[in-house]
Amino acid sequence: MEPHVGSKLGNKYLSEVQRVLRFGGKFVCLTLAESHILGLLFPKFRYGWRMNVHSIPQKPSSKRAFCTFMVVAEKEISTELQLIESCFLDCTGNQAAALQKAIENENQIRREYSSGSDIMHSLEDLQLGAKGDLTKLSQGRRFQLTLGGRGGSLFTYRAVVLDAKDNSTPFSFHCGVFIVPKTRAHEWLFSSEEGQWMVIESSQAARLIMVILDSSHMNTTMDDIQKDLSPLVKQLAPIEGDNGAQIPFMMAGDGIKHRDIVHKVTSALTGPIIVEDVVYEDVDDDVSRLLPNKDLIFRRLVFQRAESLVQSEALLARDESSTKNVGTERKKNTSSSKSKKRGNKKQNDESINPLKVYHDYLASSYHTGIISGFMLISSYLESVASAGNTVKTVVVGLGAGLLPMFLHGCMPFLHIEVVELDPVILDLARDCFGFTEDKHLKVHITDGIQFVRDLKTPMPVLGRNEDGPGGLKLSSNGMCITSHAEGRDGPGIDVLIIDVDSSDSSSGMTCPAADFVEESFLQTVKDSLAEQGLFVVNLVSRSSAIKDMVISRMKMVFNHLFSIQLEEDVNMVLFGLCSESCIDKDVFPEAAVRLEKLLKFKHAEIGKSIIDTTKKIKYLK
């Protein structure tokens, strides 16, 4: 156990000690109690052993600088954890203080183990029965452990072992390994107990060993990791149900056939951001009919702080309008072009018709869900539009600007104010996603919560020369706050949409940030909305407890609450109404038809998709 040799031989030696001793037998170790010795002794004799540490008294004439200690470990039948007892005589100073501190730390670990805390076990702990008989499945058993290290493998791994809660249906695998890459380790689905149970349920394994990679595995191939893990996970596989089949290795895939990085940037507020063009292995038939092409290309905006969440996604299409602009020039150059090689034709066509974001299509289904909720106030929207007025709409969260651009195109009677905290996001939306502003679509770089609070209190009526356009009152952030709808007084937003992600996805709520669903902010929203106003929240969470909490808060604030569930139970869009009266479910079809007439599309398929989605809206309050 010399420090430069490492712990491999010491670990092997102590394993033999554990094997050869009978119950009641004692192992006695004389040691100077260096930290690397204690780091092996204490965990090795944690389960099924009673341990005492004593100092060995020295002769008064001795001038030795160090004390010698005696560690006694007695093998017991029970695997119950027991605290280390110690007795130090005639030994003081830094050496004794360090040993006493190490014993206190180890005893604290043993207390936590005894209390059932979710702590890390070693493979040796488990083989000694720390979590029962591992050769047998135990319904609903879950524990964490460390795998590898100490010369037995290339790497050390953090893992979670779960035995399925429900064994009423046959399993596809008696044991499986699910590898979580470092970039996704912080996600609620893999870092929380509730999320992990969801993973084993979908894996169809009787026992699942979830291995969570970290930065030490970054420069290693998955093949090498699998080879390194194979002998380790075999020691954790249950015997029952084992028909000799190999233990399958699983990993979450993204279904991407090809990926090109278009742009990378780091924001002081958002962190590293990537814009990428991807080709999926499978694409919905509806999209293929919309733009027939062998490989449809989608442009995605990804925040690296939450790589599993694609913040925005858009369909790319050839810019046919540029063909008209160069038509005349092509005719002039016809004679010279004949002498060029025919191989340049494809390259020239691509330069003439470059790819650009197709704003007449929504690639994100939750955006379709948001717009379908406009059905709840379609009668009001119709009355405002027919009167030639505009509907005041606030969207908190710009992203790539896809939802505001789509709304602007299909509902020209909306006056849209977008609120975005990060100026870098606005630059990306303009440069990479074709986002543009005009008199009915404006962006404010400011805090979304403060923006809504500013709208809550109307500003005094300004003088004639200080009024906004048409004599309208303006809030401190420049938002028009006087109602456009005739016969309504005071401030009022007609539609308020919250579509922002959370910088802390480990909380279990990926969207929105927690502040946007606090009761105080929800009350501010209610005070800011017009009487017939609509509040929309994009909620992304796999936790039913979090969803229930947000729904409960919104029920306390809003008179009526509706929801729509999307994206395999991950995305939920919530709709809050302030009005005392409420649209009845019996008139949903009529309201949907009214919304369909208000929407202007180049492709009827898109309108049909939105109207079909209205059928999924459910009344919660």
Side-chain angles (χ1 to χ4, degrees), residues 507-557:
S507 65
M509 186 161 58
T510 308
C511 297
D515 291 345
F516 287 96
V517 289
E518 291 291 340
E519 190 175 341
S520 58
F521 177 72
L522 295 177
Q523 188 60 53
T524 300
V525 169
K526 183 177 181 180
D527 295 340
S528 304
L529 283 173
E531 181 182 349
Q532 302 294 324
L534 175 67
F535 177 53
V536 187
V537 178
N538 174 37
L539 175 63
V540 181
S541 177
R542 294 182 184 271
S543 169
S544 57
I546 288 177
K547 289 180 180 179
D548 290 344
M549 177 267 293
V550 174
I551 290 172
S552 176
R553 289 180 182 175
M554 291 189 67
K555 281 183 176 180
M556 293 174 62
V557 174

Short mmCIF file of all heavy atoms in Angstrom, two decimals, residues 507-557:
data_model
loop_
_atom_site.label_atom_id
_atom_site.label_comp_id
_atom_site.label_asym_id
_atom_site.label_seq_id
_atom_site.Cartn_x
_atom_site.Cartn_y
_atom_site.Cartn_z
N SER A 507 -34.20 20.81 -12.01
CA SER A 507 -35.34 20.98 -11.11
C SER A 507 -36.52 20.12 -11.53
O SER A 507 -37.46 19.93 -10.76
CB SER A 507 -35.77 22.45 -11.08
OG SER A 507 -36.25 22.84 -12.35
N GLY A 508 -36.47 19.59 -12.75
CA GLY A 508 -37.58 18.79 -13.25
C GLY A 508 -38.51 19.55 -14.15
O GLY A 508 -39.40 18.97 -14.77
N MET A 509 -38.32 20.87 -14.26
CA MET A 509 -39.15 21.69 -15.14
C MET A 509 -38.24 22.34 -16.18
O MET A 509 -37.49 23.25 -15.88
CB MET A 509 -39.93 22.74 -14.33
CG MET A 509 -40.92 23.54 -15.16
SD MET A 509 -42.18 24.36 -14.14
CE MET A 509 -41.17 25.38 -13.07
N THR A 510 -38.31 21.84 -17.40
CA THR A 510 -37.47 22.37 -18.47
C THR A 510 -37.99 23.70 -18.98
O THR A 510 -37.23 24.58 -19.34
CB THR A 510 -37.39 21.35 -19.62
OG1 THR A 510 -37.01 20.07 -19.08
CG2 THR A 510 -36.38 21.76 -20.66
N CYS A 511 -39.30 23.84 -19.06
CA CYS A 511 -39.96 25.09 -19.47
C CYS A 511 -41.22 25.26 -18.62
O CYS A 511 -41.94 24.29 -18.40
CB CYS A 511 -40.36 25.07 -20.94
SG CYS A 511 -38.99 24.94 -22.11
N PRO A 512 -41.52 26.48 -18.19
CA PRO A 512 -40.68 27.69 -18.26
C PRO A 512 -39.77 27.75 -17.03
O PRO A 512 -39.75 26.81 -16.23
CB PRO A 512 -41.73 28.80 -18.21
CG PRO A 512 -42.79 28.25 -17.31
CD PRO A 512 -42.84 26.77 -17.59
N ALA A 513 -39.06 28.89 -16.87
CA ALA A 513 -38.33 29.12 -15.63
C ALA A 513 -39.33 29.22 -14.48
O ALA A 513 -40.46 29.67 -14.66
CB ALA A 513 -37.50 30.41 -15.74
N ALA A 514 -38.93 28.79 -13.30
CA ALA A 514 -39.85 28.68 -12.16
C ALA A 514 -40.54 29.99 -11.83
O ALA A 514 -41.71 30.00 -11.40
CB ALA A 514 -39.09 28.16 -10.94
N ASP A 515 -39.88 31.13 -12.05
CA ASP A 515 -40.46 32.43 -11.71
C ASP A 515 -41.75 32.71 -12.48
O ASP A 515 -42.61 33.45 -12.02
CB ASP A 515 -39.46 33.56 -11.99
CG ASP A 515 -38.28 33.52 -11.03
OD1 ASP A 515 -38.39 32.82 -10.00
OD2 ASP A 515 -37.26 34.17 -11.30
N PHE A 516 -41.88 32.10 -13.66
CA PHE A 516 -43.05 32.37 -14.51
C PHE A 516 -44.30 31.61 -14.07
O PHE A 516 -45.37 31.84 -14.62
CB PHE A 516 -42.73 32.05 -15.97
CG PHE A 516 -41.81 33.06 -16.61
CD1 PHE A 516 -40.44 32.83 -16.67
CD2 PHE A 516 -42.31 34.24 -17.15
CE1 PHE A 516 -39.59 33.75 -17.26
CE2 PHE A 516 -41.47 35.16 -17.74
CZ PHE A 516 -40.11 34.93 -17.79
N VAL A 517 -44.15 30.71 -13.12
CA VAL A 517 -45.33 30.01 -12.60
C VAL A 517 -45.50 30.22 -11.10
O VAL A 517 -46.23 29.49 -10.45
CB VAL A 517 -45.27 28.49 -12.94
CG1 VAL A 517 -45.48 28.27 -14.42
CG2 VAL A 517 -43.96 27.86 -12.47
N GLU A 518 -44.79 31.23 -10.56
CA GLU A 518 -45.03 31.61 -9.17
C GLU A 518 -46.40 32.28 -9.08
O GLU A 518 -46.82 32.99 -10.00
CB GLU A 518 -43.94 32.56 -8.67
CG GLU A 518 -42.57 31.92 -8.52
CD GLU A 518 -42.52 30.91 -7.38
OE1 GLU A 518 -43.38 30.98 -6.49
OE2 GLU A 518 -41.61 30.06 -7.40
N GLU A 519 -47.07 32.08 -7.98
CA GLU A 519 -48.43 32.60 -7.84
C GLU A 519 -48.46 34.12 -7.97
O GLU A 519 -49.41 34.69 -8.55
CB GLU A 519 -49.01 32.18 -6.49
CG GLU A 519 -50.50 32.47 -6.37
CD GLU A 519 -51.10 31.94 -5.08
OE1 GLU A 519 -50.47 31.04 -4.46
OE2 GLU A 519 -52.18 32.42 -4.69
N SER A 520 -47.43 34.81 -7.46
CA SER A 520 -47.40 36.27 -7.54
C SER A 520 -47.36 36.76 -8.98
O SER A 520 -48.04 37.72 -9.36
CB SER A 520 -46.20 36.82 -6.77
OG SER A 520 -44.99 36.30 -7.29
N PHE A 521 -46.56 36.05 -9.82
CA PHE A 521 -46.50 36.45 -11.24
C PHE A 521 -47.80 36.11 -11.95
O PHE A 521 -48.27 36.88 -12.79
CB PHE A 521 -45.32 35.77 -11.94
CG PHE A 521 -45.25 36.10 -13.41
CD1 PHE A 521 -44.87 37.36 -13.84
CD2 PHE A 521 -45.59 35.15 -14.36
CE1 PHE A 521 -44.82 37.67 -15.21
CE2 PHE A 521 -45.54 35.44 -15.72
CZ PHE A 521 -45.16 36.72 -16.13
N LEU A 522 -48.38 34.97 -11.64
CA LEU A 522 -49.65 34.59 -12.27
C LEU A 522 -50.74 35.63 -11.96
O LEU A 522 -51.57 35.95 -12.82
CB LEU A 522 -50.09 33.21 -11.79
CG LEU A 522 -49.18 32.03 -12.20
CD1 LEU A 522 -49.68 30.73 -11.58
CD2 LEU A 522 -49.07 31.91 -13.71
N GLN A 523 -50.70 36.16 -10.74
CA GLN A 523 -51.67 37.19 -10.39
C GLN A 523 -51.41 38.47 -11.18
O GLN A 523 -52.34 39.16 -11.62
CB GLN A 523 -51.60 37.48 -8.88
CG GLN A 523 -52.69 38.41 -8.38
CD GLN A 523 -54.09 37.86 -8.61
OE1 GLN A 523 -54.39 36.74 -8.22
NE2 GLN A 523 -54.95 38.65 -9.25
N THR A 524 -50.12 38.79 -11.39
CA THR A 524 -49.76 39.94 -12.21
C THR A 524 -50.27 39.77 -13.64
O THR A 524 -50.76 40.71 -14.25
CB THR A 524 -48.22 40.13 -12.23
OG1 THR A 524 -47.76 40.35 -10.89
CG2 THR A 524 -47.82 41.30 -13.11
N VAL A 525 -50.15 38.56 -14.15
CA VAL A 525 -50.65 38.26 -15.49
C VAL A 525 -52.15 38.51 -15.57
O VAL A 525 -52.65 39.16 -16.51
CB VAL A 525 -50.33 36.80 -15.88
CG1 VAL A 525 -51.08 36.40 -17.15
CG2 VAL A 525 -48.84 36.62 -16.08
N LYS A 526 -52.87 38.01 -14.58
CA LYS A 526 -54.32 38.19 -14.58
C LYS A 526 -54.70 39.66 -14.58
O LYS A 526 -55.63 40.09 -15.28
CB LYS A 526 -54.94 37.49 -13.37
CG LYS A 526 -56.47 37.56 -13.34
CD LYS A 526 -57.04 36.80 -12.16
CE LYS A 526 -58.57 36.86 -12.16
NZ LYS A 526 -59.15 36.13 -11.01
N ASP A 527 -53.96 40.45 -13.79
CA ASP A 527 -54.24 41.89 -13.72
C ASP A 527 -53.88 42.60 -15.01
O ASP A 527 -54.40 43.68 -15.29
CB ASP A 527 -53.47 42.51 -12.55
CG ASP A 527 -53.93 41.98 -11.20
OD1 ASP A 527 -55.06 41.45 -11.13
OD2 ASP A 527 -53.16 42.07 -10.23
N SER A 528 -52.97 42.02 -15.80
CA SER A 528 -52.51 42.66 -17.04
C SER A 528 -53.36 42.29 -18.23
O SER A 528 -53.32 42.97 -19.26
CB SER A 528 -51.05 42.26 -17.32
OG SER A 528 -50.21 42.59 -16.24
N LEU A 529 -54.13 41.20 -18.13
CA LEU A 529 -54.92 40.74 -19.26
C LEU A 529 -56.22 41.53 -19.42
O LEU A 529 -56.79 42.02 -18.44
CB LEU A 529 -55.27 39.26 -19.10
CG LEU A 529 -54.16 38.24 -19.40
CD1 LEU A 529 -54.62 36.85 -19.00
CD2 LEU A 529 -53.75 38.28 -20.86
N ALA A 530 -56.66 41.62 -20.67
CA ALA A 530 -57.97 42.20 -20.94
C ALA A 530 -59.05 41.26 -20.40
O ALA A 530 -58.78 40.09 -20.07
CB ALA A 530 -58.15 42.39 -22.45
N GLU A 531 -60.25 41.75 -20.32
CA GLU A 531 -61.35 40.96 -19.75
C GLU A 531 -61.53 39.64 -20.52
O GLU A 531 -61.79 38.60 -19.93
CB GLU A 531 -62.65 41.77 -19.79
CG GLU A 531 -63.83 41.02 -19.19
CD GLU A 531 -65.12 41.82 -19.29
OE1 GLU A 531 -65.06 43.01 -19.63
OE2 GLU A 531 -66.19 41.23 -19.05
N GLN A 532 -61.37 39.69 -21.83
CA GLN A 532 -61.50 38.48 -22.66
C GLN A 532 -60.14 37.89 -23.00
O GLN A 532 -60.01 37.12 -23.95
CB GLN A 532 -62.25 38.83 -23.96
CG GLN A 532 -63.63 39.41 -23.75
CD GLN A 532 -64.58 38.41 -23.12
OE1 GLN A 532 -64.51 37.23 -23.41
NE2 GLN A 532 -65.48 38.90 -22.27
N GLY A 533 -59.12 38.26 -22.21
CA GLY A 533 -57.75 37.87 -22.54
C GLY A 533 -57.46 36.39 -22.34
O GLY A 533 -58.14 35.68 -21.59
N LEU A 534 -56.40 35.93 -23.02
CA LEU A 534 -55.97 34.53 -22.98
C LEU A 534 -54.52 34.47 -22.53
O LEU A 534 -53.65 35.16 -23.07
CB LEU A 534 -56.11 33.90 -24.37
CG LEU A 534 -55.58 32.47 -24.54
CD1 LEU A 534 -56.43 31.48 -23.74
CD2 LEU A 534 -55.55 32.08 -26.02
N PHE A 535 -54.24 33.63 -21.52
CA PHE A 535 -52.88 33.41 -21.03
C PHE A 535 -52.45 32.00 -21.43
O PHE A 535 -53.18 31.03 -21.19
CB PHE A 535 -52.83 33.57 -19.51
CG PHE A 535 -51.48 33.30 -18.90
CD1 PHE A 535 -50.35 33.95 -19.38
CD2 PHE A 535 -51.34 32.41 -17.85
CE1 PHE A 535 -49.10 33.72 -18.83
CE2 PHE A 535 -50.10 32.17 -17.28
CZ PHE A 535 -48.97 32.82 -17.77
N VAL A 536 -51.26 31.89 -22.04
CA VAL A 536 -50.77 30.60 -22.54
C VAL A 536 -49.39 30.32 -21.96
O VAL A 536 -48.50 31.18 -21.99
CB VAL A 536 -50.68 30.60 -24.08
CG1 VAL A 536 -50.33 29.20 -24.59
CG2 VAL A 536 -51.97 31.09 -24.71
N VAL A 537 -49.20 29.11 -21.43
CA VAL A 537 -47.90 28.69 -20.88
C VAL A 537 -47.50 27.37 -21.51
O VAL A 537 -48.28 26.41 -21.51
CB VAL A 537 -47.95 28.52 -19.35
CG1 VAL A 537 -46.59 28.04 -18.83
CG2 VAL A 537 -48.32 29.81 -18.66
N ASN A 538 -46.28 27.32 -22.04
CA ASN A 538 -45.72 26.06 -22.51
C ASN A 538 -44.98 25.41 -21.35
O ASN A 538 -43.94 25.90 -20.90
CB ASN A 538 -44.75 26.32 -23.68
CG ASN A 538 -44.04 25.04 -24.11
OD1 ASN A 538 -44.63 23.96 -24.12
ND2 ASN A 538 -42.77 25.16 -24.46
N LEU A 539 -45.53 24.32 -20.84
CA LEU A 539 -44.96 23.63 -19.68
C LEU A 539 -44.30 22.33 -20.15
O LEU A 539 -44.96 21.48 -20.76
CB LEU A 539 -46.06 23.33 -18.65
CG LEU A 539 -45.67 22.50 -17.42
CD1 LEU A 539 -44.62 23.23 -16.59
CD2 LEU A 539 -46.90 22.19 -16.58
N VAL A 540 -43.01 22.18 -19.86
CA VAL A 540 -42.28 20.97 -20.24
C VAL A 540 -41.73 20.33 -18.97
O VAL A 540 -40.84 20.89 -18.32
CB VAL A 540 -41.13 21.26 -21.22
CG1 VAL A 540 -40.41 19.97 -21.61
CG2 VAL A 540 -41.66 21.96 -22.47
N SER A 541 -42.25 19.18 -18.61
CA SER A 541 -41.79 18.45 -17.43
C SER A 541 -42.26 17.01 -17.53
O SER A 541 -43.38 16.74 -17.98
CB SER A 541 -42.32 19.09 -16.14
OG SER A 541 -41.92 18.33 -15.02
N ARG A 542 -41.42 16.09 -17.10
CA ARG A 542 -41.82 14.69 -17.04
C ARG A 542 -42.38 14.33 -15.67
O ARG A 542 -42.84 13.22 -15.46
CB ARG A 542 -40.61 13.78 -17.36
CG ARG A 542 -40.11 13.92 -18.78
CD ARG A 542 -38.95 12.97 -19.04
NE ARG A 542 -38.40 13.14 -20.38
CZ ARG A 542 -38.83 12.49 -21.45
NH1 ARG A 542 -39.81 11.63 -21.34
NH2 ARG A 542 -38.28 12.69 -22.63
N SER A 543 -42.32 15.28 -14.75
CA SER A 543 -42.77 15.02 -13.39
C SER A 543 -44.26 15.34 -13.26
O SER A 543 -44.67 16.49 -13.45
CB SER A 543 -41.97 15.87 -12.41
OG SER A 543 -42.55 15.84 -11.13
N SER A 544 -45.05 14.34 -12.91
CA SER A 544 -46.48 14.58 -12.70
C SER A 544 -46.70 15.48 -11.49
O SER A 544 -47.66 16.26 -11.46
CB SER A 544 -47.20 13.24 -12.51
OG SER A 544 -46.63 12.52 -11.42
N ALA A 545 -45.81 15.41 -10.50
CA ALA A 545 -45.94 16.26 -9.32
C ALA A 545 -45.77 17.73 -9.68
O ALA A 545 -46.50 18.60 -9.18
CB ALA A 545 -44.91 15.85 -8.27
N ILE A 546 -44.80 18.03 -10.55
CA ILE A 546 -44.58 19.42 -10.97
C ILE A 546 -45.76 19.92 -11.80
O ILE A 546 -46.23 21.05 -11.62
CB ILE A 546 -43.26 19.53 -11.75
CG1 ILE A 546 -42.07 19.37 -10.78
CG2 ILE A 546 -43.16 20.87 -12.48
CD1 ILE A 546 -40.72 19.41 -11.45
N LYS A 547 -46.25 19.09 -12.70
CA LYS A 547 -47.40 19.48 -13.51
C LYS A 547 -48.60 19.78 -12.62
O LYS A 547 -49.30 20.78 -12.79
CB LYS A 547 -47.75 18.39 -14.52
CG LYS A 547 -46.74 18.24 -15.65
CD LYS A 547 -47.17 17.13 -16.59
CE LYS A 547 -46.16 16.96 -17.72
NZ LYS A 547 -46.54 15.87 -18.64
N ASP A 548 -48.83 18.91 -11.64
CA ASP A 548 -49.96 19.12 -10.73
C ASP A 548 -49.79 20.40 -9.93
O ASP A 548 -50.78 21.11 -9.67
CB ASP A 548 -50.07 17.93 -9.76
CG ASP A 548 -50.53 16.65 -10.47
OD1 ASP A 548 -51.04 16.76 -11.59
OD2 ASP A 548 -50.35 15.56 -9.89
N MET A 549 -48.56 20.71 -9.53
CA MET A 549 -48.30 21.93 -8.78
C MET A 549 -48.61 23.17 -9.60
O MET A 549 -49.26 24.11 -9.12
CB MET A 549 -46.83 21.95 -8.32
CG MET A 549 -46.41 23.21 -7.57
SD MET A 549 -45.70 24.47 -8.68
CE MET A 549 -44.18 23.65 -9.18
N VAL A 550 -48.15 23.20 -10.87
CA VAL A 550 -48.39 24.35 -11.73
C VAL A 550 -49.89 24.50 -12.01
O VAL A 550 -50.44 25.61 -11.94
CB VAL A 550 -47.60 24.22 -13.05
CG1 VAL A 550 -47.96 25.36 -14.00
CG2 VAL A 550 -46.10 24.22 -12.77
N ILE A 551 -50.55 23.39 -12.29
CA ILE A 551 -52.00 23.43 -12.55
C ILE A 551 -52.75 23.95 -11.33
O ILE A 551 -53.67 24.77 -11.44
CB ILE A 551 -52.50 22.03 -12.96
CG1 ILE A 551 -51.98 21.67 -14.35
CG2 ILE A 551 -54.03 21.97 -12.94
CD1 ILE A 551 -52.26 20.25 -14.77
N SER A 552 -52.35 23.49 -10.15
CA SER A 552 -53.01 23.93 -8.92
C SER A 552 -52.88 25.44 -8.73
O SER A 552 -53.84 26.12 -8.36
CB SER A 552 -52.40 23.19 -7.73
OG SER A 552 -52.95 23.64 -6.51
N ARG A 553 -51.70 25.98 -9.00
CA ARG A 553 -51.49 27.43 -8.86
C ARG A 553 -52.34 28.21 -9.85
O ARG A 553 -52.93 29.23 -9.51
CB ARG A 553 -50.01 27.76 -9.06
CG ARG A 553 -49.10 27.30 -7.92
CD ARG A 553 -47.65 27.67 -8.21
NE ARG A 553 -46.75 27.22 -7.16
CZ ARG A 553 -45.42 27.33 -7.22
NH1 ARG A 553 -44.85 27.88 -8.29
NH2 ARG A 553 -44.67 26.90 -6.23
N MET A 554 -52.38 27.71 -11.09
CA MET A 554 -53.14 28.43 -12.11
C MET A 554 -54.64 28.37 -11.83
O MET A 554 -55.38 29.31 -12.11
CB MET A 554 -52.81 27.89 -13.49
CG MET A 554 -51.39 28.22 -13.94
SD MET A 554 -51.03 27.81 -15.66
CE MET A 554 -52.07 28.98 -16.53
N LYS A 555 -55.10 27.26 -11.25
CA LYS A 555 -56.51 27.16 -10.88
C LYS A 555 -56.88 28.19 -9.82
O LYS A 555 -58.00 28.71 -9.81
CB LYS A 555 -56.82 25.76 -10.36
CG LYS A 555 -56.99 24.71 -11.44
CD LYS A 555 -57.35 23.36 -10.83
CE LYS A 555 -57.61 22.31 -11.90
NZ LYS A 555 -57.95 21.00 -11.30
N MET A 556 -55.93 28.49 -8.93
CA MET A 556 -56.19 29.47 -7.87
C MET A 556 -56.33 30.88 -8.42
O MET A 556 -56.99 31.73 -7.81
CB MET A 556 -55.07 29.42 -6.82
CG MET A 556 -55.00 28.13 -6.02
SD MET A 556 -53.55 28.06 -4.94
CE MET A 556 -53.89 29.45 -3.85
N VAL A 557 -55.71 31.15 -9.56
CA VAL A 557 -55.65 32.52 -10.09
C VAL A 557 -56.70 32.75 -11.18
O VAL A 557 -57.39 33.78 -11.17
CB VAL A 557 -54.23 32.83 -10.62
CG1 VAL A 557 -54.20 34.20 -11.30
CG2 VAL A 557 -53.21 32.77 -9.48
#
